[in-house]
Amino acid sequence: MPGKRAHHDQTQKPRNVWECLMARNTQHEMLTSPSSRIRARQRFVLALKRNGEQLRRQLVESVDTRFSAPGNDAEGNFQQAVSKLYSEDAYRAVCLVKRAGQEMMWNTIGDAIDVELPRLKGLLEDAGKRDVGGSLNLRDDVSLPEEWTTARVHLQPGGYLRDDGDQDVVAGALYEEGGALYSRGQGVGTKESKAECIIRFLKGWKPDFQPRRILDIGCSAGASSVPYAIAFPEAEVHAIDIGKGLLRYAHARAQSIGVPVHFHEMNAEQIDFPDESFDLVVSHNAMHEMASFTQQAMFNESFRLLRRGGVCIHQDLPLKFAEMSPVRQADIMFDEWYNGELHWSDYAGTDCQAGLEAAGFDQANIDCKPFPLLDETMSWLLAAAEKTVSDEMS
């Protein structure tokens, strides 16, 4: 059963200017409080990334217009679109700025974390002493995809699987603070987190739905796990990932906020919970990090783990090559070629509807569509499905 919940003050004021850049996230003790010098560097990186992103979009629009003009024999040809776009001097310059900005972002965030690392490790040590009710369950027998042992997704130093010892939390700290700054540089809104977006969708779709057990797959630093424990205080919330450093940070983070979440080291391809263990299974920006077979395995596991009447909702970017011109496809591929996105093109060709049907969900109970953020700065793709009696009998 869930443990006691500590007092949670969502009106707590940010400690510094940097926290104002992370308005989507609940404030907590695991966040760093950078010096004025580091904050100045971070503000510069944010401005660089924002302006570079605006210029990149303008250049892509211009090239796309010319490439798609009537009479252009190359229209519809991806390879020719790549040649055209990446031969533009201005576009190559913007790509250099984007890559440099990403490296600078990690440098500034890493410097802030290095200064406070002893404090962060102390909070991890204290996490087990807090009367909150959450837990951390790490293992040494989890199968790790070989590619992930060396990958630097988004160029994150050490990658998602970075693990510098039993008290290490650096991977999680980098992920949360780097993700917040990256999103701001991309122009993503700050009024609603990914989990809050799913919860709003769920309450509109099934207003009376009250899950008793919730599973968050690919939880990373835990920022998307905690909102479910807050929104459904009677539910038992579990979250899984394959990165020990991410999970340690996620555990300390949840304990510091005062909400019980149970974090486990598990692979999404084979989740070690019994059949029909959960009422709600979710993931956040996990699909685009997975190979196609891993994503299908996650859909299969979602179906297996759900009770009758249970729901899965998998959120990610609305990235579909079939809906893009060749020039826009070429632009999107920058992240796979130069920013460490291992499975960008796999995800861009994914058919979530077909994947959920293959997992066992009835077509009539699947809803895959873009869903806008509250401030309408963008939409997320939500791949949702309900497990019914007919699903179990088929």
Side-chain angles (χ1 to χ4, degrees):
M1 295 297 293
K4 295 180 181 179
R5 189 180 308 283
H7 176 66
H8 173 69
D9 181 8
Q10 290 180 292
T11 65
Q12 179 180 347
K13 294 181 179 179
R15 290 177 295 164
N16 54 47
V17 174
W18 172 236
E19 291 183 2
C20 293
L21 299 180
M22 303 179 67
R24 293 175 302 151
N25 299 328
T26 301
Q27 304 307 314
H28 54 87
E29 296 173 300
M30 292 295 289
L31 293 175
T32 61
S33 183
S35 67
S36 58
R37 183 176 180 179
I38 292 178
R39 285 202 304 271
R41 291 166 56 199
Q42 291 171 343
R43 286 194 294 270
F44 172 80
V45 171
L46 178 60
L48 179 70
K49 291 172 74 66
R50 276 180 169 170
N51 287 302
E53 178 64 15
Q54 290 173 4
L55 183 56
R56 182 195 64 79
R57 291 176 182 177
Q58 292 170 6
L59 289 168
V60 171
E61 178 70 27
S62 174
V63 174
D64 194 27
T65 299
R66 285 181 275 132
F67 190 80
S68 303
N72 187 341
D73 294 336
E75 184 178 4
N77 188 304
F78 173 73
Q79 290 300 331
Q80 291 188 28
V82 171
S83 298
K84 177 63 177 174
L85 182 63
Y86 286 82
S87 67
E88 296 276 333
D89 290 341
Y91 182 78
R92 291 203 308 273
V94 167
C95 287
L96 289 172
V97 169
K98 183 174 181 177
R99 170 80 186 212
Q102 194 75 349
E103 297 280 12
M104 292 167 66
M105 177 189 79
W106 291 121
N107 288 338
T108 62
I109 291 171
D111 287 349
I113 292 170
D114 287 345
V115 171
E116 299 196 43
L117 192 54
R119 181 182 69 83
L120 299 180
K121 289 183 176 180
L123 288 171
L124 173 64
E125 186 175 351
D126 292 341
K129 305 172 186 177
R130 298 181 186 240
D131 187 17
V132 175
S135 64
L136 175 63
N137 305 282
L138 301 181
R139 303 161 51 175
D140 293 323
D141 60 346
V142 176
S143 176
L144 302 177
E146 184 176 352
E147 61 189 356
W148 283 98
T149 60
T150 57
R152 289 181 61 207
V153 180
H154 302 152
L155 308 184
Q156 179 171 320
Y160 289 171
L161 300 189
R162 176 173 177 169
D163 183 13
D164 296 336
D166 291 343
Q167 295 298 311
D168 183 52
V169 294
V170 172
L174 286 168
Y175 185 94
E176 178 164 36
E177 302 208 21
L181 183 56
Y182 178 82
S183 296
R184 290 299 297 265
Q186 293 293 108
V188 178
T190 60
K191 293 183 179 179
E192 186 177 49
S193 70
K194 293 183 286 288
E196 288 166 344
C197 185
I198 287 183
I199 292 167
R200 179 166 58 88
F201 167 82
L202 181 60
K203 290 185 179 297
W205 183 30
K206 297 187 174 298
D208 299 325
F209 185 67
Q210 290 294 323
R212 291 172 293 163
R213 296 188 86 222
I214 301 170
L215 176 64
D216 180 14
I217 300 176
C219 66
S220 60
S224 293
S225 310
V226 165
Y228 294 96
I230 295 173
F232 302 104
E234 300 304 316
E236 185 176 291
V237 179
H238 294 261
I240 68 169
D241 205 286
I242 57 175
K244 285 182 168 64
L246 291 171
L247 289 165
R248 292 190 197 99
Y249 179 91
H251 173 57
R253 181 187 189 281
Q255 293 289 100
S256 74
I257 293 171
V259 292
V261 179
H262 304 283
F263 292 97
H264 310 263
E265 186 177 357
M266 293 185 189
N267 192 320
E269 296 178 19
Q270 186 174 7
I271 301 173
D272 294 330
F273 286 110
D275 295 356
E276 301 183 358
S277 299
F278 294 94
D279 305 293
L280 176 62
V281 175
V282 296
S283 71
H284 311 83
N285 275 18
M287 290 188 288
H288 79 260
E289 307 283 19
M290 297 176 173
S292 298
F293 64 85
T294 301
Q295 183 187 129
Q296 185 60 53
M298 181 176 70
F299 288 163
N300 297 344
E301 286 289 79
S302 297
F303 184 84
R304 179 184 71 82
L305 292 168
L306 282 174
R307 298 176 177 135
R308 184 179 62 188
V311 170
C312 71
I313 307 176
H314 298 288
Q315 168 273 329
D316 214 307
L317 294 159
L319 182 68
K320 300 298 174 190
F321 275 174
E323 301 172 0
M324 296 180 184
S325 69
V327 169
R328 294 188 184 279
Q329 292 177 28
D331 173 55
I332 287 294
M333 286 303 295
F334 172 90
D335 284 291
E336 182 167 315
W337 295 333
Y338 304 111
N339 195 36
E341 287 285 9
L342 300 180
H343 301 294
W344 212 223
S345 52
D346 283 347
Y347 174 65
T350 292
D351 184 342
C352 293
Q353 176 82 28
L356 289 169
E357 288 183 35
F361 294 99
D362 188 275
Q363 180 180 1
N365 301 318
I366 299 172
D367 187 11
C368 297
K369 64 184 180 184
F371 189 72
L373 286 172
L374 275 174
D375 58 12
E376 299 184 347
T377 53
M378 67 168 292
S379 294
W380 294 119
L381 172 69
L382 301 186
E386 179 181 11
K387 183 176 181 178
T388 63
V389 176
S390 61
D391 293 330
E392 293 180 335
M393 295 175 61
S394 60

